[in-house]
Structure formats: C-alpha cells, structure tokens
Amino acid sequence: MQLLKVALFHTDGRVHEVLFRPGQLNIVAGPSRTGKTALLDIVDFCLGRDEPSIPAGIIDLTVAWFGTLWQLDDGARVFLGRPRVPDDHKGTSQSMIRFGGDTLDLPTHAELHPNTDSVSMRVEVGERIGLRDARLDNGDLQGPFAVTLGAAAFFLFQRQDEIARSDTLFHRQSDDGVARTIRNALPFFLGAIDGDQALKRAELASAERDLRAARLAADRAAITVENAREQLQSLLRQAHAVGLTDAEESTNVVVLRGILETVRHRDTETFANAETVAEAQDRTRALRARRSTLRQELGRVLDDRDLLLESAAGASGYGSAIRQHAGRLHSIGLTGEPGEAARCPVCTQLLQGEDPTADHLNARLTRLEGEIELLAAARPARQKALARLTEETSRIRSELVAADDALAALESAAGTPGERGTPASREFIRGRIDATLANFAEVNESDPDTTRIAAERAAERVEMLKRSLDEDADARMIAILDSVNETLTNFAQTLEVEHSDRVWLDPKHLTVVADTPSGPRPLARIGSGENWVGYHVAAHLALHHWFVTHGRPVPALLMLDQPSQTQQSGSSDRDNDVVRRMVRQLFDFCLDLAPKFQIILIEHATIGEDWFIDSLVDWDDHGLVPSEWASEETWNEASRLDGTVDEAE
C-alpha cells in the first residue's frame, strides 16, 4: 500500500493535488511556512486518526475535505477521505472510503460524502493489506484488541518533533496507550506470532476457568458424598450401639440410608430385647478399645508424616547447597570441560603436565552432580508416600469421629449404665435418626465420578489448547530481532552515528540500545541530536526492510519530516556530508526494494545532484494551499490564528 496523491478540497469545490511516485524516494522541498509539515498530518488523519494535529491557519479557513489516493499491492486503488473537523469539535470519526481498479481517481467535490466511520475504515483497509481477523492479547483486563490499520500507522510516520527525540522512537509513542499497543503489536507485525494468538489465548483462559470450576464441582461433590457417608455411618453406629439394628457398616450412601430408614419406621416392639448391663458394658468397652487403637494409629501415621516432611525439607536444603556448590565450581571455571587441557584458573594459560587440583575438583563436581540426580529421582516417591499418609490420616480421623459419636450416643441415651439399650435410649437415637433423615438432602453417589470425569475432560481441553499455542513464539521473536538488529547496525554504521558497532532494538522499552565502551546504553543516554535522528532513521529502515522482504501487513510507506534539522545546511562541509549521507541512504533503500517501498521526505536542505533532483515532488512556491484560494485579507487572518501559515519548519 503506497501513496499516490494527497488532495485538498476547497469549500467551493476546487481541488489541489500533490502527486507522489510509488516505489521510490519522494522529496518535498520548498520554502518554510508553505504547508510541507501538514502533509504528514493530513495523511495520518486520512488513515483514520480522529483528532488530527493539522496546523491551524489557512487550511481551516479554506479546506472542506482532505483526501488521499492509495495503490494496493494487487494493483487496485482506494480513496480515503475525511471532512475537516468542525471548529467546535476536537475530532471526527466521519470518513469516506472508495475502492476501485487501477484507474480509480479522486472523487469530485459533489461525490464527497461520509459513508463509514474511521474504525470501520481502518478495519476494511486493514483486511485488504492482510490484517483480516487479526486479534492480539492486550495484556490487561480490557481483553484482546483487533489489529487494524491504526496499529500499523505508528510505524509510518516521524514528525519533525519526533524524529529528533531521545525518549521515544515511534510515532505518537508518548500518547496514552500507544506505547502498549506498539509493544503488543510489534511481534505480530514482525511475524513472530499469528493474528489469532489472542483468540487462542482467550479460548485457553476460558477453558482454564472451566477447568477450575469443574475441579471445584468435583471437590464439592466428593465432600458432599463423604460428609453424607460419615453422617449416616455415625448414625448407624449409634443405632447399633443401642441395639436398634444388627446391620453391618457400609460405605454406600444408598445402603446406609436404607438401613436407617428401616430403623426409623419400625415399631419399638419389633426390636430385640433390651441389652443387659453386661452387654452394654461390653459394647462400650469395645468402642473405647477401638478408639484407643485408632488414636495410636493416628499418632503413628502423624509421626511418619512429620518424619517424611522433615526428610523432604532436609533433602531440599542439602540439594540446594550442593547445587550451589556445583554452580560455583562451574561459574569460576576451575574445573574446565571434560577432555580439555588443564588451564591456570588465574591467567587461563595451558599448564604443562597434569594438575591434580583440577582433577580433584572435577571428581568432586561429578559426585555432586550424581547426588543431585539421586535427590531428583527420590522426590516423586517421597511425594507419593506423603499423599498416602495424608489419605490414611483422614481415614483414621473419620473413624475416630464415628467411634466418639457412638460412645457419646451410648452415654447420652441413658442416665445410668443400667439403662443402656432400654426403650428410652433407643427412642432417643431413633429421634436423632428421624430428625437427620427428615432434612437429609438427596445425594447421588455417582456425582463425584461424574464431576471427576468432567474435570479430566476439561484438563484435556486445556492441554490441547496449550499445545495449539505457538510455544516457539519467543524463540522466533529473538531470531527475527537478531536479523532486524543486524540490519539496524548496518544502517547505523552507514549513517555514521556514534556507538554503531553493535545496535539493537529493545521491544519492551521501545527504544534503541547501543553497545558503548561503558556498556549498553539506550537512546535516552546517548548524546547529540544528530545521533538521535540517525538512530530513528536506522531503526525505521531496519523494521520496514523486514516488513517488505517478509510480506508483512504494513503499508510500504515511511514519511520523515526534516531529519536534517540538527544540521545547518551550508554551514559546514561536515553538516552537508551528514545530510547527503542520510538522504542518499533513503534513496538507496527505496532503490534496493523497488518497486515495493516508498519514502516521502519533507526537507529544507537541497542537494544539487541528479538523483536528488529526480526525486523532488512538484511543489509550488505558494505551498500546499494555492494563493488564489483565499483573499489577502483571509491570508492575513490565517496568519493571526497561530502566528504562522504552517508549523515551524
């Protein structure tokens, strides 16, 4: 996608066009205060920005519409137009879009009507350049965002007040939220991640939520059934203790409830005769003996568990110590590599003969690494044993509670030992059973298995989605940046900026970092406006070189506003050389990628060489707005609006 025309439509229907040539360097050179800087702002506005930074002045007094004509990679064309923002508004989303073949031209003034909004326009044009359905993770609670032409536009422009800054690298980077958008979108535009990355991550997040809910439901179902089982078992033991039933214990909730329902509805006369005092004492004695045995078992299991935990903690500490020791031996380089000749640890020179110290250290390191492997192998078995002891602890405690309940029932059901098993004590326990079953919620014993299976399926879906994510994205990003940084370094060296021996792009902080004698320094810590401009230009050329050569969905355009501003043209041979070197680099860049890339350079400086002259855009001395578009009085009024006809250049 390259720019063919920028058009201004007068309120009375007249049109003024500025023509550009695709696939090459286009230089807009002319006197100051003629509207050159406004070109960049108009193109940015026509690409969908709602609050333009177009300078106030004659444009506000004469122009009704702004228009741009673009050529797409497939030969088709698209017109993007925006009405001038009303005086009482900060911005507008009204837009006009018109697609056509290779003969499409600007619409007439009468045909200018908004037919879409800026967001829809960016989406529609973005789809034509390869941004269809691209959504990225925004890294916050706002969720994923659609990648449209607006995100790509941040790589297309360098305003006069941006190209010489040390604290930002990209267009509008200091605006709210822009840096985050650039940071999140850059891996996509470079090709490190797919456009459906955010959709996959959203699906994964949803699946992980479902998994957590399924596991919670499984745990809840298991707890519900277990609580019901323990409650019914306790009642059964109490009923058994007073002679209400001779039924054996069961772990099945349905069976337990059936037994208790039988006890609940039987007549008192149908029960066996009351226990004798001796029988009641025997039952009580047996329960107490069982409780004592369970307490002893619980103490033993807890001791074993405590010992295992102490062992694990000791092994962890020992493992950490020997890993640290082994790491030190590796880090200081005393041991060397297997089969490597012995070296002095101080001067690193090869030693004559064998060094027993190095041999000893290598043997020690080998033993340490063997111990680390043994500790790692023992960890799963230790964890398995710990889980078994924890489960046994839970079982014993549950049986202790049941035994305590049964003893409490025997003691509370009768005031004296001789009354145990009497009709009164039985009625007391029957009353407790009746009250419990009357309010007992239905429990499906298969729920834990059903919910567990659902949780397992949810876990399988999570794992499947994790595998579908591009696990190599980070590695691919590193590899891509290695290539981009090599190109960036070459451009920086061609431009002869300082500290250009090794330069790299920092995608996290959105800056350039240079390797200096005192260590890596970001752009903000590299002096000289000349260096700042040079690094801005080099970084954008390196990125666009990658975009073009790898078919990435970014418009093949770079607009630079006065990169020579830190030099005074004609003041010295050195300044002239710096300007020529930079402009020539831009020219050669387009030539190398021709016809796939276009640079529009807005400049004061001129170079009297054929390649420069051939790159000049037809720019009348009257500038962007023809002089006949307004009376002398209107021109004077425009000058009073902001003190200039254009931004300072």
Side-chain angles (χ1 to χ4, degrees):
M1 180 176 175
Q2 300 184 50
L3 185 62
L4 299 177
K5 292 182 180 182
V6 171
L8 273 62
F9 295 84
H10 195 284
T11 55
D12 63 9
R14 285 177 286 179
V15 182
H16 179 64
E17 304 175 4
V18 181
L19 307 181
F20 299 97
R21 297 176 292 271
Q24 66 181 75
L25 174 64
N26 293 257
I27 303 174
V28 180
S32 298
R33 300 173 62 180
T34 57
K36 299 190 303 297
T37 292
L39 278 173
L40 185 150
D41 298 317
I42 291 171
V43 175
D44 192 11
F45 181 44
C46 286
L47 285 178
R49 185 177 179 184
D50 287 342
E51 297 183 9
S53 55
I54 299 171
I58 192 64
I59 292 177
D60 282 334
L61 298 176
T62 59
V63 175
W65 274 75
F66 304 95
T68 51
L69 185 65
W70 301 82
Q71 177 177 291
L72 303 178
D73 291 346
D74 59 3
R77 291 183 177 185
V78 58
F79 169 79
L80 304 178
R82 306 293 301 278
R84 184 179 67 83
V85 177
D87 294 336
D88 57 346
H89 289 67
K90 289 181 61 177
T92 180
S93 64
Q94 290 186 329
S95 306
M96 176 178 174
I97 184 171
R98 175 181 289 181
F99 287 98
D102 57 5
T103 60
L104 179 69
D105 208 341
L106 299 174
T108 65
H109 189 277
E111 294 174 319
L112 292 172
H113 295 289
N115 60 6
T116 187
D117 59 78
S118 57
V119 174
S120 300
M121 180 191 73
R122 283 180 162 180
V123 170
E124 195 168 351
V125 176
E127 289 179 350
R128 294 294 294 266
I129 66 173
L131 293 174
R132 184 182 302 275
D133 298 327
R135 299 185 67 82
L136 299 180
D137 189 0
N138 206 22
D140 57 18
L141 297 177
Q142 296 180 5
F145 69 97
V147 184
T148 66
L149 192 62
F154 297 128
F155 302 100
L156 309 184
F157 305 108
Q158 285 285 280
R159 286 171 50 94
Q160 177 183 344
D161 56 356
E162 295 171 335
I163 198 169
R165 290 183 64 166
S166 64
D167 58 340
T168 60
L169 183 62
F170 296 104
H171 179 52
R172 298 179 55 202
Q173 182 177 328
S174 59
D175 290 3
D176 288 344
V178 171
R180 180 178 56 191
T181 298
I182 297 173
R183 190 179 299 113
N184 293 332
L186 184 58
F188 165 74
F189 284 119
L190 288 173
I193 59 176
D194 295 330
D196 61 351
Q197 168 256 157
L199 180 59
K200 290 180 179 179
R201 289 192 181 278
E203 289 179 355
L204 175 59
S206 177
E208 288 175 334
R209 287 193 297 271
D210 292 342
L211 174 59
R212 289 192 294 271
R215 285 175 172 170
L216 183 62
D219 291 343
R220 188 181 294 115
I223 292 172
T224 299
V225 171
E226 185 61 28
N227 288 343
R229 181 182 295 115
E230 290 180 358
Q231 188 177 19
L232 296 178
Q233 285 176 337
S234 176
L235 288 173
L236 180 60
R237 292 188 187 102
Q238 295 174 51
H240 191 274
V242 296
L244 286 173
T245 181
D246 292 328
E248 297 294 331
E249 283 197 15
S250 173
T251 58
N252 188 293
V253 173
V254 176
V255 172
L256 287 169
R257 183 165 185 176
I259 295 172
L260 292 173
E261 287 285 357
T262 300
V263 171
R264 177 188 182 192
H265 295 293
R266 282 178 64 183
D267 294 332
T268 307
E269 290 77 10
T270 63
F271 292 119
N273 294 329
E275 289 180 320
T276 66
V277 172
E279 290 172 336
Q281 287 176 340
D282 289 343
R283 189 185 295 276
T284 302
R285 190 179 301 109
L287 283 171
R288 286 174 177 167
R290 177 59 178 163
R291 183 174 65 180
S292 178
T293 301
L294 289 172
R295 285 174 176 172
Q296 291 175 2
E297 288 183 13
L298 180 61
R300 177 186 57 78
V301 171
L302 289 176
D303 287 342
D304 290 346
R305 188 174 183 274
D306 188 54
L307 183 62
L308 187 60
L309 289 173
E310 288 183 2
S311 173
S316 176
Y318 178 66
S320 177
I322 62 176
R323 277 191 292 269
Q324 185 178 18
H325 189 34
R328 286 171 177 169
L329 291 177
H330 276 302
S331 65
I332 61 179
L334 291 181
T335 58
E337 297 295 333
E340 183 182 30
R343 292 180 179 272
C344 172
V346 177
C347 66
T348 70
Q349 298 297 315
L350 290 174
L351 296 176
Q352 299 299 323
E354 296 183 357
D355 181 7
T357 302
D359 292 340
H360 172 73
L361 291 173
N362 270 319
R364 175 59 178 158
L365 180 60
T366 301
R367 287 198 300 273
L368 290 174
E369 290 174 338
E371 292 179 25
I372 292 173
E373 291 178 1
L374 288 175
L375 288 172
R379 190 178 298 114
R382 187 184 300 114
Q383 291 174 342
K384 185 175 181 180
L386 183 61
R388 179 180 58 77
L389 289 174
T390 301
E391 184 178 350
E392 191 172 353
T393 300
S394 178
R395 178 189 62 78
I396 295 173
R397 281 177 171 161
S398 177
E399 291 189 23
L400 264 175
V401 169
D404 285 338
D405 288 344
L407 280 169
L410 283 172
E411 293 169 356
S412 63
T416 64
E419 294 177 349
R420 288 190 178 96
T422 64
S425 64
R426 290 173 174 174
E427 285 302 320
F428 178 83
I429 298 302
R430 280 187 61 186
R432 179 177 291 179
I433 294 173
D434 182 70
T436 301
L437 295 183
N439 297 293
F440 195 80
E442 290 293 331
V443 174
N444 188 342
E445 203 159 12
S446 65
D447 283 350
D449 290 336
T450 303
T451 53
R452 177 181 53 79
I453 293 172
E456 290 173 354
R457 290 175 178 171
E460 291 173 358
R461 173 167 170 75
V462 167
E463 290 303 316
M464 180 193 68
L465 289 171
K466 283 182 177 179
R467 288 193 297 270
S468 72
L469 285 175
D470 195 346
E471 297 177 355
D472 298 328
D474 290 340
R476 187 159 51 249
M477 183 67 174
I478 292 173
I480 291 172
L481 286 177
D482 284 344
S483 179
V484 171
N485 292 336
E486 182 179 356
T487 307
L488 168 57
T489 299
N490 292 336
F491 286 141
Q493 291 173 351
T494 300
L495 295 173
E496 298 185 12
V497 296
E498 293 180 317
H499 312 302
S500 58
D501 290 342
R502 181 169 172 265
V503 186
W504 62 93
L505 185 68
D506 182 348
K508 180 179 180 180
H509 299 98
L510 301 181
T511 189
V512 167
V513 181
D515 206 0
T516 71
S518 59
R521 285 190 178 183
L523 188 61
R525 295 190 60 207
I526 298 175
S528 173
E530 179 181 314
N531 287 325
W532 300 339
V533 171
Y535 278 119
H536 274 251
V537 172
H540 281 78
L541 292 183
L543 286 171
H544 279 286
H545 185 272
W546 180 270
F547 295 155
V548 172
T549 56
H550 290 80
R552 302 307 301 159
V554 181
L557 168 70
L558 178 61
M559 294 189 73
L560 304 174
D561 188 5
Q562 295 188 66
S564 69
Q565 61 184 275
T566 56
Q567 271 72 40
Q568 297 181 8
S569 180
S571 62
S572 69
D573 290 340
R574 182 188 176 282
D575 283 347
N576 290 337
D577 288 344
V578 170
V579 173
R580 184 194 179 281
R581 186 163 50 245
M582 182 180 298
V583 180
R584 183 68 199 196
Q585 175 67 80
L586 301 176
F587 178 85
D588 291 340
F589 183 84
C590 291
L591 191 63
D592 291 342
L593 295 178
K596 296 182 177 181
F597 195 75
Q598 174 188 47
I599 294 178
I600 297 176
L601 175 64
I602 299 168
E603 262 299 350
H604 278 315
T606 58
I607 301 171
E609 299 181 24
D610 289 344
W611 61 269
F612 184 95
I613 296 171
D614 291 342
S615 301
L616 288 172
V617 170
D618 186 13
W619 185 263
D620 295 333
D621 287 343
H622 59 69
L624 184 61
V625 179
S627 56
E628 65 271 15
W629 273 25
S631 63
E632 183 177 354
E633 181 181 356
T634 302
W635 280 101
N636 292 334
E637 181 184 351
S639 298
R640 288 193 298 269
L641 287 177
D642 66 344
T644 62
V645 177
D646 190 10
E647 288 183 323
E649 297 186 343

